[in-house]
Structures are given as structure tokens and as C-alpha cells.
Amino acid sequence: MAKEKRNSKDQHSSKNEKVPSHVSGIILSSGPVEATPETEIISVNILNLDNKLTKDVIVEIKDWTTSPPEELGKSVLLSGELLDPSDLGYERPEEEGLLSFDPTIHPSEEVDDHEVIMEPLFFQIPPQTQLTVLADFPQAQVLHSNPCYEVRISVENPINLLISSNGLDDKYIPQPGNTVLNSQFFPPLPLRLDFPRNPINKKNKN
């Protein structure tokens, strides 16, 4: 997350408006991932290999440590550049949907405070582009817990998409056992769940 924030508002402010209120396709899941004690960040990387077509995706990162699961706050990077959630159509922190990122959690990072997206992320990945989503994963320091999370990706068409996820420590080093590779996101029987609704489309209609 120690990347320079992308300032090109015109390039991405309208991107999310084109993403439909839901994506009709398949839901891919990492399955339950039991986090190591050193896992503090969850990373999701999605590559759009297509030369011409954008790819509509919904990214959810869920904390299953307690039930029901809670959606974790997400920071979004496109080709390594940090995006402002407000440029994507998400609310400011004084409204619903965003919380402030606390840089003291990772003091080695030299970044300004920025908001994180607390809702499912709706995004259109441009051709030949990498989307990275990062989420802080808080773990209980005193009470015993069974830290568990899930990465869920909804896609209309998974052709020419590559997906992976890693659990990282505070130095962004992948933790053993917390890596989910592309082939592991594609179950023989896709999950049959309701797709999330895009809150941005609803706000635009109002």
C-alpha cells in the first residue's frame, strides 16, 4: 500500500459506473484459509490477459474468524498505483461504506491516510492490466481464536483472467500455507450464491 495514489480521476471515475448492479456468471472462492499468526495483510491479484476486453469482477474478502463473516476493508491498486475510493464512486468516510486506514498498523509504510472500501468491490479491469486488492486482517492478540478468511471473486467470464491470493506479514512477505493459486479458485462445481448488489448503481439512480 506504499504506492503513490493515482490522481487521474477522469480515467477511473466513470469506470465503476459501467459495472452492472450484479455480475451474472460464476462465483469463485479460495475456500477457508486458516491464517498464520504472522498474517496481517491479505492480498488478491487479478490479471486481465485480454488484449481488447475489459473484465467485470466483484472482489470480496471475508473474515470468518467469527460468524457471520465480516467484509474486510480493502485498498485498491491498479498496475501498482493506489486508487482513491471516491474516484471509484464509493462514499466518503463520513458516509457509509468507508473507514480510514490506520498507518500505525504498519509503521514501516510511508503513506498518507486513505480510506478503505468496506463493501464488495465492483471493478472493471482494463485490458492487459493488473488489479491488486489489499485488506488488513486483524487478529486477536490475547484471546484464543481460529483466524480464518475467504477470498471470493464473482466474474461474468473467467476466460483470460488469472487470480491468486496471499497472506502477508507486515513486511509483505507471503506466509506459508496462505497462498491460493489460480487453479485453486476454480472448483469443479461453482458456488451457487446470490451475487452482491452494487451500491453505486443504486446511488446513481437516486
Side-chain angles (χ1 to χ4, degrees), residues 16 19-20 23 44 46 55-62 71-78 83-85 87-90 97-98 116-125 131-134 152-155 196-200:
N16 228 30
V19 180
V23 174
V44 181
I46 307 176
K55 293 289 183 177
D56 294 342
V57 298
I58 306 171
V59 180
E60 301 172 81
I61 305 178
K62 297 183 177 295
E71 188 73 17
L72 293 172
K74 294 172 286 299
S75 299
V76 183
L77 298 91
L78 193 64
L83 303 184
D84 189 327
D87 291 348
L88 303 176
Y90 290 89
L98 297 179
V116 294
I117 299 171
M118 300 301 298
E119 305 165 355
L121 171 68
F122 286 71
F123 202 88
Q124 272 193 346
I125 309 176
L131 173 68
T132 302
V133 182
L134 300 176
R152 194 177 294 175
I153 311 290
S154 304
V155 296
R197 294 286 171 175
N198 189 346
I200 297 171

Side-chain angles (χ1 to χ4, degrees), residues 142-156:
V142 179
L143 298 177
H144 173 74
S145 65
N146 181 26
C148 179
Y149 66 87
E150 175 202 6
V151 175
R152 194 177 294 175
I153 311 290
S154 304
V155 296
E156 183 176 9

Side-chain angles (χ1 to χ4, degrees), residues 3 6 21 29 37 46 51 65 70 78 81 90 98 107 109-111 115 124 141 148 152 164 167:
K3 300 284 185 180
R6 181 181 287 261
S21 59
S29 174
I46 307 176
N51 290 316
T65 305
E70 295 184 356
L78 193 64
E81 297 188 48
Y90 290 89
L98 297 179
E109 297 182 47
E110 298 179 357
V111 296
E115 299 84 24
Q124 272 193 346
Q141 300 299 316
C148 179
R152 194 177 294 175
S164 69

